[in-house]
DNA sequence: AAAAGTTATTGAAACGTTTCCAATATGGTG
DNA sequence: CACCATATTGGAAACGTTTCAATAACTTTT
């Protein structure tokens, strides 16, 4: 039989309230009593029952991370830092893979609601703003809802887009294309395109755009098949891909068409996933400040959970350029 | 005010017990009553309070995944499947990154104990067998404790080792080396080496071993520096690396020494992480059945949680060879 | 129509905390 | 010593479920 607070109280010869106060470090306990209680705790090997505590408090020290798939290297890095930061603050992480599917996102939101989690960090592709319970703090990564007390953390996508163009030009490109997989839901990610275009215009560089929607049955093969069908696309000497993965796949395909990187085409990705150090050639990329994004999200979320109101609606964190071998 | 089961009971004009039975689909409720209750539930927008339920039951439908780092691509793939399988069974996943640090593993075990999780799936480097509470079901991946009702799921490492040698030989290698990062704690992973050696002996192939301990302040740079110091190591024409990551790094270094892969040296990794499709050259590898390992772990764990006793102590799942461009 | 059997329902108790108010102990002051 | 202020403590109530023994409502059998 696992001992309860009652057993401790009895053994220590005090009331349950006192034991509770000792456990929670309330200042109003005499040192002597505290000692007695601690001894009883040790003797009985008593461990506070966190489940009962959650119940009484009507909330748990659990934060949910809702994202498309932990399998993706960018998300798994993000999850790593989020978990680490949460742990420092005494919180736990619950992982929810939505697969990017709207129905699953809603299903999870519902479940998290029932489970009275302390907060949610979400990377969602759904207009979930109506479904997020108002009393569960929510931090959205890369999507800005602009209402309902949902705050947003993101990398500085716009600046990243500009940077990508600058670097391509610096590397000698004069005709560039933006490669993207879009989602029907608006996201800050689109600013990557905008920054890229704006900078191209300012610099007087010819700039093409190629995008396909990735919401359902998206296929890499089809994407690149379509892309290379357009002869214009074979004449570019600079490529900025939406994500590192897409950039890596582009390089893969390009190679098969005897397009050499970086001799014929310079390539820059976005994300800065760690593994691209092992891609050959090593990818040049706009590196998202993943660690800072993760930790910031947690810090903001916990501040919200504490009842604070945040000063900004959106927090954009600067990106940096990381040179590889593709520029 | 969020409605409780009591409010529903009142509105429906029944007892709380009846409402509870409706929610939990007990068969002993008249259809008519059930309908009344369901209407009340809908009208009040009642959602069962999972926290209270956990409390009453003294356990939650939460399973913890304790691993060194979700950031590692192999673990993030594993986590993906584990979460998916758990979700199908109505369970949730709590993620714990131990960093491979013994103290943190113990700290998490303690915490999981307090939180009365339904079970734990662990990839640990610690002799945690004395610290796992006997009444929390535990599935250990890649480590076999052989006691205390801790069951083990692993890939067939021994067979994988043999396979690696066979494939290197098939590709033309005649003098091979096994590259490994070891840990002080025994793990099934070591069978990769054993299988490799045994097969080499049987085939009469010369076989070197190079290993370093990775427990603390391990550095890739040092590892390869030491490795290449030994001139013998420059004469091999076949390399089997412990993990894909290690193989990719080997290829990286080899290139810098003008060792060509696969012309001069054939390389095979172990794991089959997805991203190695983007490595160039694409890595040949012994693919772990990650999905099956993940799903099997969950299935076994939940059977244990249900009170079943499992037939085997260890479940070895077959591996397959996946040919890339390095053999 | 009563008895017996079956099925459906009720409502109190229990799970282990925290919190709050009342009660008591302690210490200081006039 | 009486009184008051303050520090410390005790213990009941409450959190929202599930469960179980008791009871009620039907059915069938006699």
């Amino acid at each position: 039989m696992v001992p309860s607070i009652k057993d401790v109280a009895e053994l220590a010869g005090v009331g349950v309230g006192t034991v509770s106060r000792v456990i929670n470090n309330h200042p109003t306990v005499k040192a002597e009593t505290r000692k007695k209680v601690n001894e009883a705790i040790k003797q009985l090997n008593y461990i506070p029952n966190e489940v009962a505590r959650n119940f009484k408090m009507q909330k748990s020290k659990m934060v949910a991370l809702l994202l498309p798939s932990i399998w993706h290297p960018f998300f798994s890095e993000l999850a790593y830092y989020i978990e680490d930061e949460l742990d420092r603050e005494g919180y736990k992480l619950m992982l929810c893979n939505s697969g990017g599917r709207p129905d699953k996102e809603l299903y999870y939101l519902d479940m998290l609601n029932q489970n009275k989690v302390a907060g949610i960090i979400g990377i969602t592709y759904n207009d979930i703003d109506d479904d997020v319970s108002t009393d569960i703090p929510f931090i959205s990564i890369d999507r800005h809802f602009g209402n309902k007390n949902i705050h947003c953390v993101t990398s500085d996508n716009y600046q990243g887009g500009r940077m990508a163009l600058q670097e391509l030009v610096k590397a000698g490109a004069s005709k560039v294309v933006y490669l993207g997989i879009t989602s029907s839901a608006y996201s800050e990610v689109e600013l990557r395109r905008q920054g890229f275009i704006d900078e191209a215009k300012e610099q007087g560089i010819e700039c093409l755009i190629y995008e396909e929607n990735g919401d359902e049955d998206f296929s890499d093969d089809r994407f690149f098949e379509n892309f290379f069908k357009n002869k214009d696309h074979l004449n570019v000497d600079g490529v900025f891909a939406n994500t590192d993965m897409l950039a890596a796949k582009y390089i893969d395909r390009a190679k098969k068409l005897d397009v050499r990187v970086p001799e014929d085409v310079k390539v820059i990705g976005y994300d800065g996933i760690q593994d691209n150090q092992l891609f050959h050639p090593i990818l040049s990329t706009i590196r998202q400040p993943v660690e800072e994004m993760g930790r910031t999200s947690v810090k903001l979320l916990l501040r919200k959970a504490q009842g604070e109101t945040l000063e900004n609606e959106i927090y954009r964190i600067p990106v940096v350029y990381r040179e590889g071998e593709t520029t």
Side-chain angles (χ1 to χ4, degrees), chain A:
Chain A
M1 185 46 209
V2 29
S4 80
I5 209 173
K6 219 175 211 163
D7 303 309
V8 176
E10 209 163 308
L11 179 61
V14 302
V16 290
T18 304
V19 177
S20 173
R21 283 185 299 256
V22 168
I23 295 168
N24 296 89
N25 282 311
H26 279 247
T28 69
V29 182
K30 234 198 314 187
E32 188 191 349
T33 317
R34 184 181 298 277
K35 198 169 147 228
K36 255 194 321 189
V37 171
N38 279 324
E39 265 160 20
I41 287 177
K42 199 164 293 170
Q43 194 176 329
L44 289 175
N45 226 304
Y46 165 77
I47 306 170
N49 183 327
E50 197 63 29
V51 178
R53 195 178 275 173
N54 291 341
F55 167 62
K56 173 61 188 172
M57 303 278 125
Q58 280 304 299
K59 75 157 104 149
S60 62
K61 288 211 153 200
M62 175 80 63
V63 166
L65 176 60
L66 177 56
L67 43 66
S69 165
I70 190 66
W71 195 348
H72 190 288
F74 176 71
F75 295 141
S76 78
E77 182 180 356
L78 187 66
Y80 175 82
Y81 287 115
I82 288 177
E83 197 273 340
D84 189 68
E85 187 69 24
L86 281 173
D87 180 52
R88 289 185 192 190
E89 303 290 339
Y91 282 76
K92 287 141 259 150
L93 178 67
M94 176 170 159
L95 183 67
C96 307
N97 291 302
S98 70
R101 298 210 332 258
D103 56 322
K104 206 139 185 241
E105 286 180 356
L106 296 183
Y107 155 81
Y108 270 121
L109 286 176
D110 220 56
M111 185 272 279
L112 296 174
N113 221 352
Q114 286 185 40
N115 279 277
K116 306 225 179 303
V117 294
I120 303 175
I121 298 177
I123 301 150
T124 56
Y125 294 103
N126 219 338
D127 286 328
I128 40 91
D129 42 341
D130 286 340
D131 300 277
V132 175
S133 158
T134 22
D135 40 41
I136 297 190
F138 197 106
I139 297 283
S140 165
I141 292 188
D142 277 353
R143 284 195 74 199
H144 180 37
F145 291 98
N147 71 337
K148 246 224 162 168
N149 202 25
I150 298 181
H151 294 78
C152 174
V153 169
T154 176
S155 67
D156 193 340
N157 293 280
Y158 184 77
Q159 196 50 44
R162 293 192 91 109
M163 221 181 252
L165 189 112
Q166 288 161 9
E167 294 295 339
L168 284 176
V169 169
K170 230 186 267 177
S174 60
K175 179 172 179 189
V176 299
V177 61
Y178 171 92
L179 237 53
I181 303 176
T182 62
S183 119
S184 55
Y186 174 79
S187 137
E188 292 284 311
V189 168
E190 302 190 13
L191 293 177
R192 294 175 196 172
R193 190 206 318 106
Q194 204 48 55
F196 191 70
I197 292 175
D198 287 357
E199 183 73 18
K201 203 167 285 169
E202 280 181 27
Q203 302 223 9
I205 295 277
E206 190 176 349
C207 174
L208 306 173
I209 301 293
Y210 186 75
E211 287 180 319
E212 273 186 33
N213 183 288
D215 281 349
E216 42 198 37
D217 66 83
F218 172 83
S219 124
D220 294 335
D221 287 326
R222 197 147 25 74
F223 181 89
F224 285 107
E225 200 181 307
N226 292 340
F227 174 76
F228 283 116
K229 242 183 229 157
N230 183 332
K231 293 307 164 205
D232 268 357
H233 290 156
L234 285 168
N235 292 327
V236 300
D237 55 6
V239 170
F240 173 39
N242 218 353
T243 65
D244 283 349
M245 281 306 201
L246 192 60
K249 285 170 189 165
Y250 167 83
I251 292 171
D252 220 27
R253 306 299 160 128
K255 197 183 235 176
K256 285 178 187 143
L257 296 172
D258 286 324
V259 175
R260 290 167 307 158
V261 175
E263 293 82 356
D264 302 331
V265 183
K266 324 284 174 206
V267 179
I268 292 186
Y270 197 105
D271 276 351
I273 54 176
Q274 198 187 35
D275 299 353
N276 66 16
Q277 306 280 7
L278 294 175
F279 297 168
H280 288 286
I282 296 174
L283 189 61
S284 297
T285 190
I286 305 295
R287 164 79 174 156
Q288 295 207 53
V290 188
E291 176 166 5
E292 200 182 344
M293 287 170 69
R295 296 198 192 277
T296 302
S297 301
V298 170
K299 281 183 188 134
L300 293 175
L301 188 71
L302 296 188
R303 280 179 55 199
K304 287 178 84 168
Q306 241 92 100
E308 279 184 59
T309 44
L310 305 182
E311 44 280 359
N312 301 314
E313 263 193 358
I314 180 163
Y315 293 79
R316 289 184 225 269
I317 305 182
V319 295
V320 302
Y321 173 63
R322 189 168 76 192
E323 176 138 7
E325 303 167 345
T326 60
T327 39

